[in-house]
Amino acid sequence: MKNEIICISCPLGCYLTVNHNQNKLKNVIGNRCSLGLNYAKKEILNPERTLTTTVKVSNGNLPLVSVKTSQPIPKNKIFSAMKLLAKIKIDAPVEIGEKIIQNIFDTNANVIATKNIIKMKK
Amino acid sequence: MIKLSDILFREVALVIIGGGPAGLAAAISAKKNGIRDLIIIERNDWLGGILPQCIHDGFGIEIFDEALTGPEYAQRFIDELNLLEIPYMLNSMALEITLDKNVYVASPEGLFCFKAKAIILAMGCRERTRGQICIPGTRPAGVYTAGVAQNLINLKNMMVGKNIVILGSGDVGMIMARRLTLEGAKVHAVVEILPHTNGLPRNHQQCLIDYEIPLLLSHTVTEIQGRNRVNSVTISPVNKELESIKLNQRKITCDTLLLSVGLIPENELSKTSNVKLNPVTGGAFVDENLETSVSGVFACGNVLHVHDVVDFVTLEAERAGKSASLYIFGKQTKSKRIRVEAGSGIRYILPNFISKKTDIEMSLRVKHPGEQVSIGFFDGKKLLKTKKFRKVHPAQMIKIKLKESETRAIKTLKVRVLQ
Ligand SMILES: Cc1cc2nc3c(=O)[nH]c(=O)nc-3n(C[C@H](O)[C@H](O)[C@H](O)COP(=O)(O)OP(=O)(O)OC[C@H]3O[C@@H](n4cnc5c(N)ncnc54)[C@H](O)[C@@H]3O)c2cc1C
Ligand code: SF4
């Protein structure tokens, strides 16, 4: 089987042609670096993405704090993660890098804050 | 009436207008190059420009070798700025730059006049609106630019709609298509007038293909319907001349239309100082030091030309900060310069003028996507250098280095796509 995919590992966005056979990678054409090779491998076997979204905050200078998964999680877990995060509300202050959920769905990824939120006086 | 006695006059070596990634990097670089007397003017009540609302990742790969989110990328520079004790003014809008480099600033503390030795323009860009692309129809609620929608959703916790059509496949539009889908909205189509996407290929993959969002190329929105709120839009195919045709038109029911139809450098202010602007980029004409047509006024970041990757904004701004400090210390060497021309197939190339005295990195964009494309540099008919690319795309800025030894003896310089 032959798949045309775009490498998302960096903004160069190489167009990759991936030849594979029943989940086994045969070869990759078009990658400018080794990251592209790894990406193609994963994309065929178990595609993963970093999830970036927001979580509600109370008493903060903003009503939301931006968050991300500390490492990519399986693509098929993205929507369940969104559902889980929609239910959460945390208290200000929040510090950039702070853990909000540990090891989400046993993926080994933590959900961490990507922004500082200051606590506002009432 | 404002009296002269109401204006607060200050002398300062360097004024940086805009506190986005460009302004931050320019200030840090100027300080590291010995300028102690400097200030950043920022109209928002935060530093970081557009980055705090860009919560997706993909920033910093070039500089930090990490895929950071927008707010994380901004914070690294804000931390460094604070460490270096560089002063800044928030909620402060630069209103005018006079010919003798006085910068008038309206701030909560009053009206200031900064008498500057040098100025760095780092005002970023703004989004094109419906008015600028002229879509006929009613004027209902529910039409947003993609950046405004991004601000509402990511900073203010306000959802813009449930059934969405996006016009334009720029990066902001594609990123918002994914964001809205994750938040539970249905994105019915991303409609693009050109025969190719207008943003980075990686965003095509991870924002549209990943979520099976339909991309309609060579199509446009020709009418918006709805009385109070958008209730549908008409989509039409376009011909080679990009004119819509009446054949196969269809209506898509939706409550929201997002526009991602381009960014324009925010240069109203630059005009007051007589800086000459390039009609193609909307930004200033600059030389290899990023100095504009007005001596001592420099430009960097999206106000100079719209960048797709913030790392390149930072690197450009660092050079502007260094050039400004050399200028202030009187160490800048003025020499005869030649003009760099964009030939066939090239939308624009920067810098516009070079002195031929140093190695330089040229930034350019092609007009059309292509495969196995060679780009050639010419002095008259003489081919100086070629560079071959497997794929080129107008959304991707191309960087090509020219060595001093390659340019030393040339009389003219023109760049074009080779056939
Ligand atoms: C939605 C979106 C998604 C993006 N995604 C990516 C990505 O995934 N990866 C990536 O690398 N890059 C991305 N970019 C590009 C990157 O964010 C920009 O290139 C970068 O922010 C440009 O920096 P800047 O400092 O030139 O402009 P800006 O960030 O716009 O900052 C300009 C600042 O100047 C201020 N200002 C303007 N006029 C005045 C005035 N008269 N007085 C005082 N202050 C003024 C503004 O308030 C603003 O804070 C994205 C951009 C957008 C819009
Ligand atoms: S293959 Fe390497 S250079 Fe190409 S997009 Fe992927 S990471 Fe970037």
Side-chain angles (χ1 to χ4, degrees):
Chain A
M1 272 237 293
K2 204 168 149 180
N3 273 29
E4 299 280 337
I5 60 174
I6 303 165
C7 179
I8 60 165
S9 311
C10 92
L12 286 176
C14 294
Y15 291 81
L16 311 180
T17 308
V18 190
N19 285 303
H20 59 105
N21 198 344
Q22 256 135 43
N23 293 345
K24 263 200 82 163
L25 193 75
K26 281 207 250 159
N27 70 346
V28 180
I29 307 168
N31 57 313
R32 250 174 278 194
C33 76
S34 63
L35 283 178
L37 191 68
N38 287 338
Y39 173 75
K41 250 186 233 164
K42 278 228 169 109
E43 204 58 13
I44 300 304
L45 297 174
N46 176 26
E48 289 182 335
R49 296 287 184 267
T50 298
L51 173 64
T52 60
T53 180
T54 51
V55 164
K56 290 191 235 31
V57 185
S58 37
N59 309 318
N61 61 325
L62 289 172
L64 295 171
V65 59
S66 51
V67 301
K68 69 172 181 187
T69 54
S70 56
Q71 59 186 61
I73 61 171
K75 233 167 140 180
N76 57 18
K77 297 247 160 70
I78 297 269
F79 278 99
S80 353
M82 282 301 293
K83 263 197 197 131
L84 181 69
L85 290 168
K87 287 188 207 135
I88 296 178
K89 189 165 193 177
I90 58 174
D91 256 323
V94 188
E95 208 177 310
I96 191 166
E98 196 176 307
K99 233 180 265 172
I100 292 168
I101 296 180
Q102 188 149 357
N103 190 13
I104 186 165
F105 301 135
D106 287 325
T107 56
N108 282 329
N110 301 322
V111 176
I112 59 172
T114 57
K115 192 186 276 180
N116 291 322
I117 297 287
I118 307 162
K119 191 182 172 88
M120 297 301 267
K121 291 198 191 82
K122 289 230 181 83
Chain B
M1 261 298 276
I2 293 172
K3 290 189 286 268
L4 197 62
S5 57
D6 293 336
I7 301 175
L8 302 149
F9 287 91
R10 297 278 186 278
E11 291 204 7
V12 58
L14 175 63
V15 174
I16 295 152
I17 305 172
L24 294 173
I28 290 167
S29 153
K31 177 100 190 204
K32 285 183 176 167
N33 281 288
I35 302 297
R36 273 191 244 148
D37 183 18
L38 77 174
I39 189 157
I40 299 179
I41 310 294
E42 169 56 57
R43 68 178 168 201
N44 289 326
D45 68 350
W46 68 83
L47 291 173
I50 193 86
L51 292 180
Q53 72 179 55
C54 299
I55 64 162
H56 57 280
D57 67 339
F59 301 82
I61 297 168
E62 193 74 25
I63 291 184
F64 298 113
D65 205 15
E66 275 181 74
L68 300 170
T69 63
E72 290 172 309
Y73 187 89
Q75 195 60 44
R76 297 215 174 171
F77 292 91
I78 296 169
D79 288 346
E80 190 171 3
L81 191 87
N82 289 332
L83 209 66
L84 292 170
E85 298 179 355
I86 296 172
Y88 55 87
M89 286 169 70
L90 297 178
N91 302 307
S92 302
M93 171 98 176
L95 302 173
E96 191 188 338
I97 305 171
T98 65
L99 297 180
D100 47 356
K101 294 201 270 291
N102 289 343
V103 184
Y104 286 89
V105 176
S107 86
E109 285 82 46
L111 185 62
F112 283 83
C113 173
F114 290 98
K115 296 173 152 305
K117 291 204 183 85
I119 296 169
I120 297 180
L121 306 172
M123 289 93 74
C125 58
R126 68 185 139 76
E127 295 179 282
R128 281 216 182 89
T129 57
R130 177 180 177 183
Q132 282 157 318
I133 54 164
C134 308
I135 312 170
T138 52
R139 303 263 139 190
V143 182
Y144 300 90
T145 62
V148 166
Q150 185 180 47
N151 183 291
L152 292 172
I153 296 171
N154 292 346
L155 298 182
K156 311 219 161 69
N157 197 20
M158 284 161 66
M159 194 55 182
V160 293
K162 283 207 174 78
N163 288 289
I164 323 269
V165 170
I166 300 179
L167 175 60
S169 62
D171 287 313
V172 200
M174 294 200 281
I175 283 162
M176 286 315 291
R178 172 179 64 182
R179 181 79 183 119
L180 285 157
T181 307
L182 285 174
E183 288 293 342
K186 171 94 187 145
V187 179
H188 295 271
V190 173
V191 182
E192 170 59 55
I193 194 165
L194 297 173
H196 54 82
T197 62
N198 214 2
L200 293 176
R202 69 196 295 258
N203 286 332
H204 182 201
Q205 172 75 45
Q206 61 183 355
C207 299
L208 304 187
I209 299 173
D210 268 12
Y211 296 93
E212 293 169 15
I213 297 169
L215 171 66
L216 291 175
L217 297 174
S218 299
H219 278 70
T220 191
V221 170
T222 42
E223 203 183 320
I224 302 172
Q225 292 97 16
R227 284 185 68 188
N228 299 318
R229 176 88 195 188
V230 176
N231 60 31
S232 59
V233 296
T234 306
I235 311 283
S236 312
V238 298
N239 60 19
K240 279 217 171 84
E241 282 69 50
L242 305 183
E243 299 151 347
S244 61
I245 40 187
K246 288 253 155 65
L247 212 70
N248 294 328
Q249 285 186 332
R250 64 185 166 107
K251 265 190 190 180
I252 301 184
T253 307
C254 61
D255 53 40
T256 305
L257 175 68
L258 292 197
L259 304 175
S260 175
V261 286
L263 303 165
I264 349 172
E266 176 92 56
N267 261 315
E268 270 53 52
L269 188 62
S270 314
K271 289 180 197 153
T272 67
S273 68
N274 239 356
V275 165
K276 286 207 181 71
L277 300 181
N278 180 347
V280 179
T281 55
F285 285 108
V286 291
D287 65 12
E288 66 215 30
N289 301 319
L290 298 161
E291 191 170 8
T292 66
S293 58
V294 178
S295 102
V297 178
F298 301 79
C300 57
N302 278 359
V303 79
L304 178 58
H305 57 136
V306 175
H307 293 65
D308 28 87
V309 176
V310 74
D311 303 59
F312 294 151
V313 169
T314 301
L315 295 172
E316 189 175 88
E318 283 172 353
R319 285 200 291 126
K322 185 168 179 197
S323 300
S325 69
L326 289 177
Y327 174 88
I328 291 165
F329 290 129
K331 286 194 194 142
Q332 196 191 44
T333 42
K334 274 271 171 225
S335 44
K336 244 187 110 209
R337 308 173 308 175
I338 60 163
R339 197 185 166 131
V340 185
E341 277 181 82
S344 65
I346 305 291
R347 195 162 85 79
Y348 72 81
I349 178 155
L350 281 171
N352 310 91
F353 299 94
I354 58 167
S355 69
K356 310 185 286 178
K357 293 252 156 66
T358 53
D359 297 351
I360 35 170
E361 190 175 55
M362 312 293 297
S363 303
L364 57 107
R365 281 183 199 274
V366 292
K367 281 192 179 149
H368 310 287
E371 288 181 36
Q372 308 297 346
V373 169
S374 292
I375 292 175
F377 288 81
F378 291 84
D379 177 10
K381 289 218 163 82
K382 190 174 158 224
L383 181 63
L384 301 167
K385 180 181 187 135
T386 51
K387 190 134 188 212
K388 198 166 176 188
F389 296 87
R390 203 173 98 88
K391 287 230 182 192
V392 293
H393 195 288
Q396 266 169 321
M397 198 155 73
I398 296 170
K399 301 220 165 203
I400 301 176
K401 287 209 171 88
L402 280 185
K403 291 215 186 70
E404 183 266 342
S405 56
E406 290 168 316
T407 58
R408 194 185 303 150
I410 61 174
K411 299 239 154 43
T412 61
L413 185 59
K414 189 166 188 167
V415 193
R416 62 178 170 84
V417 172
L418 301 177
Q419 294 313 322

